[in-house]
Amino acid sequence: MTVQQQQVTIPTVLVYEGDPGFFPQVNTPVPHPVPQLDTQPFPTAIAGNAPQPDGAGPGTEAFRYWVAADALSRTGQTWGPLVPTGTQWHPQVGRALTAHLDAGDGLNARYDRRGVWFFRRTVAGVAVATCESSEIVEHETGHAVLDALRPQLFNAASAEVSALHEAFGDISALLSSLRLESLRIAVLAETQGDLELSSRVSRMAEQLGWAIRQSHPERVEPDCLRNMANSFFYRDPVLLPPIGPANTLSSEPHYFSRVFSGAFLKIVAGIFRQQDLQDQAGLALSAEIAGQLLVDAVVAAPVVSAYYAQVAGHMIAADQSRNGGRYGQSLRSAFIRHGILSLEAATSLTEPEVTRRNAAIAEMAPGGGDDQGLTAVTVQGATYGVTQPLTLSAPAQERRFGIAGSDPAGGSLRPADPERVATSFLEDLFRRGRVDVPEEHRSATAFVDDNPSRLKTHEISRSATGEGLALVRRCFD
Ligand SMILES: [Zn+2]
């Protein structure tokens, strides 16, 4: 057998790159090498038996399996080289993160500490299986990666912290897509090199967006679920409505995440502009640089109210220590344009200040206890229809960088205190019908959400540490 023949016989599977798309912009499956799942530091698995890699096409279970496997594997390859040595899945996940590709009826997917779960539903004759979208698989796996890096974020009672988790999921999809040379070439052509523009990689979950649009057009973008090419400007989520149409900002974490993910896309674009060559290799490098700064920042940033500003400040600090501040202007500009940093905050992050703070950051490590650094806030249960006092894990008070987001009227916003952040988060959850309150904990006046199809991301359960009840997160969706 000649060398050339051997290359031809490398086993491949057909997959969608990014997303299935929707009529008439349905994407064409392409061959990829058979993916490896059990690789460090983020081993993954898929429940059930692996089908033969026999080139099965869209609509078959074998095809769905390989799309999901390809995306799981790529997400691990995307984040693996960027995370600190010794990073592993949250202990409750186990050694490998398990994906469940047919978790039931629904237009959704979720991460909990037992695995990642993908739902499916037929809409207007189209079978929508969320595991068939690489972007959705990469988003959910991104939640698991961030949970490995910063378990404290999982249960923090804060809209902004939850939204950072959602932004990380979309960023996980963006960076995983940009690992594919074919998509880098496609995006450079589509945007003519201006990565800030709407593109196949900035548009998240086109097919799922289409499916939701058939019944709830106001909830999604006109051409996708969410778009990282956006101009949403930071507001303190405590002051925002709990939910709203997709063209407005609300405190609902997926919608609020767009402020941060929008800034992140501009950061990738800015770093790319500074590369010597504006080609697909330069784009691959830019994505990696931006991802590294984000990983450094989430590991180091204290979990506080005005969390976006802290992560932003720590990305600027990480750039100072890794790259000598080479990308500082791109970072500041993106965060200012989205109001994550006020002008005042951005200019206060001077080189000496950042260097001084970096000395403390160097000691930070990933992981830690689930409640490490959080503050317990206990509120009256009666207001929320529960029988006993309720404890929330609020973000802490102390900020490493004394910086905050932008006030739309000018200057900096004063961050809300931890108690306000936590109670506002709890109220929003109740108003969105996202809390499961077991019968035994309900008071006579309890407000019970009667729609069983609404996903309960949280539950009220007996406090593990002491008396009374606690708000506990079940999952991210
Ligand atoms: Zn999510």
Side-chain angles (χ1 to χ4, degrees), residues 32 152 226:
H32 275 196
Q152 300 84 351
R226 288 184 291 279

Side-chain angles (χ1 to χ4, degrees), residues 371-388:
D371 284 338
Q372 192 184 65
L374 300 178
T375 304
V377 166
T378 303
V379 297
Q380 287 298 320
T383 316
Y384 307 98
V386 298
T387 51
Q388 294 174 58

Side-chain angles (χ1 to χ4, degrees), residues 139-140 143 166 254 476-477:
H139 173 102
E140 299 307 328
H143 280 302
E166 296 305 336
H254 298 86
F476 280 101
D477 62 338

